[in-house]
Amino acid sequence: RVSKSFPSRTSPQEETMDPEQILASLPPWAQRGIMSFQYYTRGTNWYRMAFMFLPAIIRGDLASMTLYLPFMFGYFLGRTVKQWAELFNLKENIWCNNKVGREVYISWTYKMMRELVLVIVFLGVCKYFNTDTRFLGNFFLSSFMVPLIKICLPHKCRGPLRKGFRLWDTTWGEVVVHIFIFLGLSISWKVQGMDQLFLGFLFLLAIPQMQERFWLKLDQQGYIICGILVLCLPFSSLGICSRFFPSYLEYFPKPYLATLCMLANATPRVKDYYSVLGVSPDSDAKTIKRVFRELSITLHPDKVGDDPILLEKFHAIREASDALTKGRAAYDAAIENQELNEMAPRCEAFMIMMYFWLLHALIDYVQIDDNIANTKKELRKYILAGRNLDFRALGLLADEQLAAMKEWLQKDTAELPSLQLNGISPHGSKDDILALREVLQQEKIEIDPYPQVEGPIEGLQQQLCIKPIENGAALSAEDGAYEGWTATVEGIDIATNKFERATTTVVRYEAQWEQRVVTLWPELPWEPEMGTSKITLSPPSGSAGEKLVASVSFHVYYARLQVIKLGEEKENKAFNWKLADDVSAYQNYKFEVWGGDTLLGFQRVHHYLPEHRTVILRGPLVVTGEGRPAEGAGHEYRLFPDQLIFPQETHSPLQLL
């Protein structure tokens, strides 16, 4: 691999003290106070807290602070969940029987009791001051129940294969959470309509779960936020007008409000008293009283006795008469605007819950943007400090190309792409390499094609470590001594626990280690048990060598399909498509086996032998389940880099962040 370094732009005079040095310079009492504060507030997002509470404090509008009580409740619940996560991490997972020491359990119990006391005190304060706690239940679900489900069910749940890739690859916790959200949305909408419970499931669970899939993609995040705001506009506009501009409510047409009622599953709850009495809305008070007298004579309890149906009708007509004679004006106004009266409070709750979601979404958006900017800054410092990148993957092999990149990076306007902050690829990914190559091309820096080699698989080979048996003949100390010899392996198959025997050919023999290594072709059809299996090496007919028996020893990469012989490369001018002559050219590159357009398996390259056109993989080929690679089946290989930073590098920009 090509690795070149640049001098750092930072002079010793420009170096600043890190936080640990600043802390060490303080008095002991200040150090203890700061460390205690950090311990008891660990995990607190002060940026988020300031974004929520600082504006209200600056305005002096302390009354509006109650609007943020759910956020505080969610914060205290989140601290409790972290304690549960700490316990599960100690035990690995809920199904594991690892024992945790008594002292650790006692310490964890005290911590958990402290967090529960904070939650109880918070609820007691809310009760004492009689604050609005309608939305606390929603935050209980989003900040406690859902994270706890994910912690308790960490096991993998993989979907069916499609061309070698899983349709989904998640955990059972995620699956249960999605089912829980779907059932919560369906049942709450069916039972209550668009009310507080439904809105909690929608804005605190369903939409954030969808946003997690596009966590580091700011453009997609912006599109999602704007799209949701547009979809919510009919309800949020009515809620805003109801709360802040009630005089504008009269401009909402009745068919529009009726449509909102239908979408929200909200049936107007104002009874039609005119139909109860059987009169028209234009009837005067005398007509209403006369009709009531006639019906009351017929349905009076003295006449109907204990008939429950007729008694219920009597109470209904009396209620209707009271409403139409004592408060007819108010009733007429209510029945005229029954859709508005039904939707206005629901839309106010909709607006508040949407505000909670939007506030969190904007804070997350700003933080992600800030993290991406820091990543770009760290990547730039990382390169200029002389750290290692895979310049071969970037196409920067010549000194002139590296000098052009150095000159560009020294400009303050240089804009680097951000690496993936997902914790899965701490050394970058293929997408990071392609993104940086695209930026270099935009800056008119000449780069070589991307080094990707494709071609047919010529042979599947297998390596075994062997050592002399007790009182047996010594093995040769010369490389290649047994090439072309016949190898007969017999022993227990670790997959079936049965005795097996197979004969193959030695294509390579290496003797530079204490344990000799033989490469066999074709591969063994079974997996020999190391330490007990025997291998018999027989010379070709007419050779002067003598047959010898050795023991199958322990190999660091123990499985089948570990050595693969590469066929002729396929020409592809979009890539640097020819196999290199450097033994370290493809170290730790990604190696994939394809059958047509289906991925069959993958692994990383441990060693490359250009004289044999062979790659030794860093372990067994990880098969996807779509079938095993085989010789003569038209299977092909793909060899390419997918790590921007050398894996040996211990101070990746991602790890620093």
Side-chain angles (χ1 to χ4, degrees):
R1 314 252 331 241
V2 178
S3 171
K4 300 186 179 181
S5 60
F6 297 146
S8 174
R9 298 179 62 199
T10 306
S11 62
Q13 292 80 6
E14 295 174 339
E15 293 181 359
T16 58
M17 297 178 63
D18 59 26
E20 292 185 1
Q21 293 174 331
I22 296 175
L23 182 63
S25 64
L26 297 176
W29 61 268
Q31 295 183 29
R32 289 194 298 269
I34 292 175
M35 294 178 67
S36 298
F37 179 79
Q38 290 177 340
Y39 174 78
Y40 287 107
T41 61
R42 69 186 187 280
T44 302
N45 192 326
W46 297 108
Y47 185 86
R48 187 181 297 270
M49 290 292 183
F51 198 100
M52 289 189 298
F53 295 106
L54 197 57
I57 295 174
I58 293 175
R59 294 194 313 267
D61 186 13
L62 299 181
S64 64
M65 296 285 285
T66 57
L67 184 63
Y68 305 104
L69 286 178
F71 289 102
M72 293 297 297
F73 186 57
Y75 165 71
F76 289 129
L77 290 174
R79 290 174 61 97
T80 307
V81 170
K82 287 180 181 178
Q83 293 299 327
W84 281 106
E86 181 179 328
L87 180 64
F88 279 104
N89 289 336
L90 291 174
K91 300 180 66 176
E92 290 189 1
N93 59 62
I94 194 171
W95 307 109
C96 189
N97 293 323
N98 286 358
K99 292 184 178 180
V100 180
R102 181 172 178 271
E103 295 80 6
V104 176
Y105 257 125
I106 292 175
S107 175
W108 176 84
T109 303
Y110 279 124
K111 293 177 183 178
M112 177 59 74
M113 289 177 62
R114 182 187 66 205
E115 304 302 341
L116 291 176
V117 166
L118 288 176
V119 174
I120 295 172
V121 169
F122 174 83
L123 294 175
V125 171
C126 293
K127 180 68 175 177
Y128 179 80
F129 289 101
N130 197 25
T131 56
D132 186 3
T133 58
R134 290 177 299 166
F135 300 104
L136 296 188
N138 296 327
F139 278 78
F140 174 79
L141 294 176
S142 63
S143 300
F144 184 79
M145 284 292 296
V146 168
L148 200 60
I149 291 173
K150 293 181 180 180
I151 292 171
C152 294
L153 299 173
H155 306 290
K156 282 290 185 180
C157 175
R158 294 183 172 92
L161 287 167
R162 184 177 182 182
K163 296 186 177 180
F165 297 93
R166 297 286 179 183
L167 292 181
W168 66 82
D169 188 358
T170 182
T171 64
W172 278 108
E174 294 284 349
V175 173
V176 173
V177 165
H178 285 107
I179 295 174
F180 175 69
I181 293 173
F182 175 77
L183 292 177
L185 287 171
S186 304
I187 295 174
S188 59
W189 184 86
K190 183 67 176 178
V191 175
Q192 294 183 340
M194 193 188 72
D195 213 341
Q196 294 171 11
L197 187 59
F198 174 84
L199 296 175
F201 274 103
L202 178 65
F203 284 111
L204 298 180
L205 294 175
I207 296 177
Q209 285 289 323
M210 178 180 63
Q211 288 179 280
E212 283 185 6
R213 296 180 175 273
F214 308 94
W215 188 246
L216 296 175
K217 301 175 181 179
L218 283 182
D219 293 340
Q220 286 86 337
Q221 285 277 21
Y223 295 147
I224 290 174
I225 293 174
C226 293
I228 291 173
L229 290 177
V230 170
L231 291 175
C232 295
L233 186 61
F235 297 100
S236 60
S237 60
L238 182 59
I240 292 172
C241 289
S242 176
R243 189 173 184 88
F244 302 107
F245 310 103
S247 60
Y248 289 93
L249 292 175
E250 62 185 34
Y251 296 106
F252 287 89
K254 198 166 185 178
Y256 176 82
L257 297 173
T259 303
L260 293 185
C261 285
M262 180 186 66
L263 295 175
N265 192 28
T267 305
R269 287 171 287 187
V270 180
K271 295 182 179 179
D272 188 356
Y273 291 134
Y274 290 107
S275 62
V276 172
L277 292 176
V279 298
S280 66
D282 299 332
S283 302
D284 55 13
K286 291 183 178 180
T287 304
I288 293 173
K289 291 180 180 179
R290 178 177 56 81
V291 172
F292 171 69
R293 282 196 302 270
E294 294 174 354
L295 291 175
S296 62
I297 292 172
T298 307
L299 299 173
H300 196 275
D302 292 340
K303 287 191 175 183
V304 300
D306 296 332
D307 191 332
I309 298 177
L310 296 180
L311 286 175
E312 184 179 353
K313 288 183 178 181
F314 175 77
H315 293 304
I317 63 170
R318 186 170 63 179
E319 179 183 349
S321 175
D322 292 340
L324 296 179
T325 55
K326 299 178 181 179
R328 185 173 183 180
Y331 174 76
D332 287 342
I335 200 172
E336 177 66 24
N337 300 309
Q338 55 182 333
E339 291 86 1
L340 178 61
N341 295 335
E342 182 65 32
M343 287 306 301
R346 293 176 183 265
C347 289
E348 282 192 33
F350 185 98
M351 176 199 66
I352 293 173
M353 293 303 300
M354 188 183 73
Y355 166 76
F356 287 156
W357 161 76
L358 184 60
L359 182 61
H360 274 295
L362 292 178
I363 294 173
D364 291 337
Y365 187 93
V366 173
Q367 284 188 305
I368 294 170
D369 185 57
D370 190 40
N371 286 339
I372 290 176
N374 288 336
T375 309
K376 294 178 180 179
K377 180 180 177 181
E378 290 294 332
L379 179 59
R380 181 181 178 186
K381 289 167 56 180
Y382 179 88
I383 299 174
L384 290 174
R387 310 303 287 273
N388 293 330
L389 291 183
D390 189 353
F391 290 102
R392 179 185 177 86
L394 294 175
L396 301 172
L397 300 179
D399 292 337
E400 296 79 7
Q401 295 170 318
L402 291 168
M405 182 180 184
K406 172 185 175 181
E407 182 181 356
W408 169 63
L409 284 174
Q410 288 176 340
K411 298 178 182 178
D412 293 333
T413 57
E415 182 72 16
L416 284 167
S418 63
L419 301 184
Q420 294 294 320
L421 293 174
N422 52 16
I424 300 174
S425 303
H427 303 286
S429 63
K430 183 178 180 179
D431 292 337
D432 296 322
I433 297 173
L434 298 179
L436 187 50
R437 288 176 59 90
E438 183 179 355
V439 171
L440 294 175
Q441 289 175 330
Q442 292 173 355
E443 295 296 328
K444 309 300 182 184
I445 298 175
E446 183 180 353
I447 59 176
D448 295 336
Y450 180 72
Q452 178 166 316
V453 185
E454 302 176 359
I457 291 178
E458 187 173 310
L460 302 175
Q461 303 173 355
Q462 182 176 6
Q463 272 192 347
L464 292 179
C465 276
I466 61 175
K467 66 178 182 179
I469 61 175
E470 188 176 355
N471 300 325
L475 295 172
S476 174
E478 180 184 353
D479 286 351
Y482 304 121
E483 290 183 5
W485 287 38
T486 300
T488 302
V489 183
E490 52 188 7
I492 300 297
D493 182 1
I494 63 175
T496 63
N497 203 29
K498 295 180 179 179
F499 183 84
E500 300 286 353
R501 178 188 176 94
T503 301
T504 181
T505 303
V506 178
V507 296
R508 189 166 58 258
Y509 175 72
E510 299 167 272
Q512 64 265 42
W513 299 288
E514 180 180 351
Q515 290 182 330
R516 313 311 189 197
V517 179
V518 292
T519 302
L520 308 177
W521 182 80
E523 55 155 341
L524 299 175
W526 51 281
E527 191 74 46
E529 184 179 55
M530 292 179 287
T532 61
S533 300
K534 305 294 183 183
I535 180 170
T536 303
L537 300 176
S538 305
S541 58
S543 174
E546 295 183 0
K547 180 186 297 186
L548 58 89
V549 179
S551 172
V552 176
S553 183
F554 291 89
H555 193 294
V556 62
Y557 302 130
Y558 56 88
R560 301 166 55 198
L561 301 182
Q562 188 228 327
V563 183
I564 298 183
K565 188 172 179 59
L566 308 179
E568 193 67 26
E569 312 97 294
K570 284 187 176 180
E571 182 177 355
N572 190 335
K573 295 183 179 180
F575 302 127
N576 186 355
W577 57 275
K578 291 186 177 180
L579 285 171
D581 296 329
D582 184 5
V583 295
S584 61
Y586 303 119
Q587 184 179 355
N588 216 53
Y589 271 33
K590 186 77 171 289
F591 184 88
E592 294 180 345
V593 179
W594 290 78
D597 59 351
T598 300
L599 178 65
L600 301 180
F602 59 91
Q603 188 51 272
R604 294 204 173 276
V605 176
H606 169 63
H607 197 49
Y608 168 59
L609 304 174
E611 66 275 13
H612 297 284
R613 298 178 63 88
T614 299
V615 292
I616 301 174
L617 302 181
R618 194 179 289 274
L621 195 69
V622 181
V623 294
T624 61
E626 292 280 11
R628 294 188 65 85
E631 297 180 26
H635 296 163
E636 298 184 347
Y637 67 88
R638 292 182 189 176
L639 186 61
F640 58 90
D642 67 337
Q643 293 182 326
L644 179 61
I645 300 166
F646 287 148
Q648 294 83 359
E649 188 64 66
T650 58
H651 296 288
S652 163
L654 297 181
Q655 294 169 328
L656 293 174
L657 286 175

